[in-house]
Amino acid sequence: MPRIFETPIYPYQRSADQDAGARRRHKVVVVGAGPVGLVTAIDLARQGVPVIVVDENDKVSFGSRAICFAKRPLEILDRLGCGQQMVDKGVTWNLGKVFFHDREIYSFNLLPGQGHRRPAFINLQQYHFEKFLVDHIRAMQAQGAPIEIRGRNKVSAIGLHDDHVTLEIDTPEGPYNLDAEWLIACDGANSPIRKMLGLGFSGQVFQDNFLIADVVMEAEFPTERWFWFDPPFNRGQSALLHKQPDNVWRIDMQLGWDINREHELKPENIRRRLHAMLGEDAKFELEWTSIYTFRCARMERFRKGRVLFAGDSAHQVSPFGARGANSGIQDADNLAWKLRAVINGQAPEALLDSYCDEREQAADENILNSTRSTEFITPKSEISHIFRDAVLDLAEHHEFARPLVNSGRLSVPTIHDGSPLNGPDAEGLPPETRPGAPAIDAPLGEGWLLDRLGDGFRLLAIGIDVPDELAGIEVVQVAADESDALAEHWLGGAGRALYLIRPDQHVAARWLEYDRDAIAAAHERALGRQ
Amino acid sequence: MPPQLTLTANIPDPDDFYEALLAAHEGLSKAESDALNARLILLLANHVGDPAILREALRQASRKPAS
């Protein structure tokens, strides 16, 4: 049986653009049908913005690649109507174990806080993730949504103009041209679009190689994240074991810098390494193997005129912390509503600069976290090695040292403090829902707060009546005592509060008293209109 | 006044402490001593906790000895 990533799921089909005499102009073209490109396209199309996704390939990701999807991206998928499939298929895990040499030194529990619909993480192969997104697009198309995926359409040239971008696209039947009012480049860390435009991508290259092996095996290991520092089966290096659906296990082994790549990639050598780790009797099949190196880098600016960069094309991190795909999905979440508002004439183009401001801030945060993890996992000097081992030795016996252990700081959303879109804050309300923060879920009756918020501008009024209709803002009225989680994260000690929530479910501003003019002003600001 | 790094004498019996510090390293290899020092620094840093004091201690420790 062919594997899911060997079957074309958006095979090449000739499009009308190829037969049109003149070049046709489209609203939005997304380059790259990976997780970020597909999520961006879905978000735009479901709000009525016509979008075409082009990809040089016609299949989902080869091999599983990204596997950990965090709570906030799952909530974004819920907003887009395709979170449940992911969670149903994914493996939910909470327990992480840390090993040093030949012993377990401690374990940690990600214990989902009470009152959240979604777990802290699920593990799901990237090919499943992409397949669910493509299925969702097919369902949207059946409902008439303006979205199209063009497989084996490879952008070969790009031209920038004031109000559009020209594209030359290669297909199995030869090239054709089209114009796009907006182009979103989600074409990965080696982004051909970025290269064609001659835009820089600078940062730190890490001198290390890692072997990924996804193996299919019936194993008794529990559904936990196991991380080894300097284990007997991989002396002086690290290793990671993680479970994915369908009995696929992710094994990630640090190899060091001076390796013979071809030698290490030979199946017999990979099998030898895996047997040393899993036991001589372990029975497994190699599904996908790869050796990767990485860098922490980003573009200086995520926008160049009518071209916007999202996901790995704009920023790249080490894999520690699962901050690649997760941050890319949050790029999409941040960008889609802004682009829609600009296209619909509700907001000036300058709103898109706030996409850069906010997501560059997030990229810096992710790069900082992932660089620190890398420094801990692969110490680069004698003294950093000494301190690293001292932390691990102490962590076995003392709780205090465990927060210093850094096997990856797992992806959490960025709070956009200082964003130009943020309006006023109110004293006394909880810090976790301050302006710039993503909305924190809470149970409301039979449902969830985030579902009630949806994806337009909302005024969340907790324990207070809103007497007016507000232009462009829908009021979501809830009682102050509807749930403990609501009170904890949204009220603190206050008896009432008003929150202006953006379409990407981030807090724009908040107040203790109703003030129609202040709300209208914050709405203007959140749309970049002042 | 925020808490400050204590730079006046604060160890009741300095000779006892110094002897104990050296005794802890007695018979250790260089690598073992380095590891002990690292653990000691981490234990004491956690005990202090206050980021401003830790920063000040790092600053004072980083001053080049007068030549």
Side-chain angles (χ1 to χ4, degrees):
Chain A
M1 198 175 84
R3 291 175 291 188
I4 182 174
F5 51 86
E6 292 169 335
T7 312
I9 60 163
Y10 37 89
Y12 170 73
Q13 283 180 310
R14 191 171 182 87
S15 87
D17 286 346
Q18 287 162 270
D19 298 317
R23 48 197 307 144
R24 292 202 186 173
R25 182 170 288 202
H26 296 276
K27 278 283 175 216
V28 180
V29 171
V30 171
V31 182
V36 181
L38 293 172
V39 167
T40 305
I42 290 170
D43 206 354
L44 287 167
R46 69 190 301 277
Q47 325 242 2
V49 177
V51 56
I52 294 170
V53 182
V54 297
D55 194 289
E56 60 181 306
N57 210 319
D58 56 5
K59 304 178 188 73
V60 288
S61 125
F62 186 82
S64 72
R65 305 187 348 164
I67 63 163
C68 286
F69 294 92
K71 178 162 157 288
R72 181 60 201 150
L74 293 174
E75 292 168 349
I76 292 167
L77 295 173
D78 282 334
R79 183 174 65 72
L80 302 179
C82 52
Q84 194 59 45
Q85 302 89 300
M86 309 281 184
V87 175
D88 288 345
K89 177 73 183 176
V91 169
T92 300
W93 61 276
N94 290 310
L95 200 65
K97 284 187 179 159
V98 178
F99 299 82
F100 184 35
H101 301 314
D102 55 356
R103 58 195 195 274
E104 178 187 335
I105 55 170
Y106 75 100
S107 60
F108 59 90
N109 201 325
L110 293 175
L111 262 196
Q114 290 300 305
H116 296 283
R117 179 181 185 185
R118 293 307 178 199
F121 275 92
I122 62 164
N123 285 357
L124 182 66
Q125 293 92 324
Q126 184 172 330
Y127 50 75
H128 283 312
F129 189 87
E130 292 180 9
K131 177 69 165 58
F132 285 133
L133 294 174
V134 172
D135 289 347
H136 192 60
I137 288 174
R138 298 299 179 219
M140 290 171 70
Q141 286 171 326
Q143 305 281 320
I147 185 168
E148 196 185 326
I149 313 179
R150 296 185 184 174
R152 299 183 72 189
N153 271 236
K154 182 184 176 174
V155 176
S156 55
I158 177 170
L160 298 188
H161 301 270
D162 280 349
D163 63 349
H164 71 287
V165 172
T166 55
L167 294 175
E168 183 181 291
I169 296 177
D170 280 341
T171 76
E173 297 181 302
Y176 70 101
N177 297 296
L178 62 76
D179 293 350
E181 290 183 19
W182 296 94
L183 185 83
I184 307 177
C186 307
D187 52 348
N190 295 314
S191 172
I193 297 289
R194 192 182 70 223
K195 287 177 181 164
M196 282 181 229
L197 294 175
L199 299 170
F201 197 63
S202 55
Q204 188 182 359
V205 177
F206 291 87
Q207 299 204 327
D208 223 319
N209 291 280
F210 289 79
L211 169 72
I212 298 186
D214 278 349
V215 304
V216 184
M217 66 175 172
E218 303 280 346
E220 297 300 311
F221 300 114
T223 306
E224 298 168 353
R225 177 187 194 263
W226 288 11
F227 196 98
W228 286 263
F229 292 98
D230 197 3
F233 57 83
N234 196 23
R235 267 289 158 227
Q237 314 283 358
S238 66
L240 175 74
L241 177 70
H242 230 172
K243 189 180 188 187
Q244 305 170 61
D246 313 327
N247 289 320
V248 176
W249 296 78
R250 159 65 53 87
I251 290 146
D252 199 328
M253 274 198 205
Q254 185 191 356
L255 300 179
W257 185 234
D258 286 318
I259 61 158
N260 180 333
R261 211 182 150 86
E262 260 171 68
H263 172 81
E264 292 293 348
L265 272 173
K266 283 189 182 146
E268 63 267 29
N269 291 326
I270 292 174
R271 298 189 74 87
R272 191 171 38 76
R273 282 184 173 280
L274 295 180
H275 276 299
M277 175 178 180
L278 303 167
E280 289 310 319
D281 301 335
K283 288 191 174 40
F284 55 81
E285 222 183 283
L286 300 177
E287 178 176 83
W288 174 65
T289 58
S290 174
I291 288 180
Y292 67 91
T293 58
F294 58 81
R295 57 189 164 170
C296 287
R298 78 162 168 92
M299 297 179 70
E300 197 179 317
R301 200 74 178 144
F302 294 177
R303 177 183 175 203
K304 174 79 178 170
R306 289 283 174 129
V307 182
L308 294 139
F309 292 83
D312 282 359
S313 70
H315 46 78
Q316 194 183 8
V317 292
S318 79
F320 311 120
R323 287 166 180 269
N326 283 308
S327 68
I329 292 162
Q330 291 169 87
D331 289 347
D333 181 49
N334 190 292
L335 177 57
W337 72 270
K338 293 176 179 174
L339 186 56
R340 182 197 60 204
V342 170
I343 287 174
N344 292 349
Q346 293 165 323
E349 266 191 49
L351 181 61
L352 296 172
D353 292 327
S354 77
Y355 162 73
C356 300
D357 296 333
E358 293 182 341
R359 296 313 298 169
E360 287 162 11
Q361 176 208 357
D364 286 343
E365 190 175 294
N366 288 320
I367 287 172
L368 176 68
N369 275 288
S370 113
T371 302
R372 287 173 166 177
S373 301
T374 307
E375 180 57 50
F376 193 89
I377 292 166
T378 65
K380 293 297 177 284
S381 70
E382 189 188 0
I383 194 69
S384 66
H385 214 126
I386 290 167
F387 274 114
R388 200 281 303 270
D389 288 356
V391 166
L392 293 170
D393 277 329
L394 288 166
E396 184 174 4
H397 304 290
H398 304 293
E399 189 277 332
F400 90 84
R402 292 172 194 167
L404 293 167
V405 175
N406 191 342
S407 66
R409 296 286 181 229
L410 297 171
S411 173
V412 289
T414 295
I415 296 180
H416 299 303
D417 288 316
S419 165
L421 305 189
N422 290 352
D425 194 3
E427 262 185 51
L429 294 174
E432 65 268 31
T433 44
R434 65 187 182 270
I440 295 178
D441 209 0
L444 282 186
E446 302 285 291
W448 297 91
L449 173 63
L450 294 185
D451 286 345
R452 290 278 295 279
L453 295 178
D455 52 13
F457 273 97
R458 301 286 185 263
L459 185 68
L460 174 62
I462 307 169
I464 183 168
D465 282 331
V466 176
D468 305 307
E469 295 261 320
L470 300 164
I473 306 171
E474 196 178 294
V475 177
V476 174
Q477 193 95 48
V478 297
D481 57 358
E482 273 215 40
S483 74
D484 292 345
L486 182 79
E488 180 190 344
H489 298 301
W490 294 88
L491 291 173
R496 61 184 183 282
L498 292 138
Y499 284 80
L500 180 65
I501 312 281
R502 312 185 332 192
D504 58 5
Q505 299 182 338
H506 278 246
V507 174
R510 58 182 182 175
W511 302 267
L512 292 169
E513 302 293 343
Y514 176 74
D515 177 340
R516 187 192 169 103
D517 293 342
I519 292 164
H523 183 221
E524 288 290 303
R525 190 182 178 92
L527 276 167
R529 294 201 293 223
Q530 51 165 243
Chain B
M1 185 108 163
Q4 287 192 327
L5 179 67
T6 304
L7 289 168
T8 51
N10 193 39
I11 298 172
D13 194 328
D15 291 348
D16 275 0
F17 165 72
Y18 198 76
E19 187 185 354
L21 180 63
L22 294 189
H25 285 277
E26 191 70 39
L28 298 188
S29 67
K30 175 76 167 74
E32 289 164 337
S33 266
D34 285 347
L36 186 151
N37 279 339
R39 290 193 294 270
L40 185 62
I41 289 167
L42 293 167
L43 281 158
L44 296 176
N46 180 67
H47 183 82
V48 171
D50 187 315
I53 295 185
L54 291 173
R55 263 197 310 276
E56 179 60 13
L58 282 168
R59 199 178 74 84
Q60 291 293 340
S62 300
R63 280 171 60 163
K64 295 268 185 298
S67 49

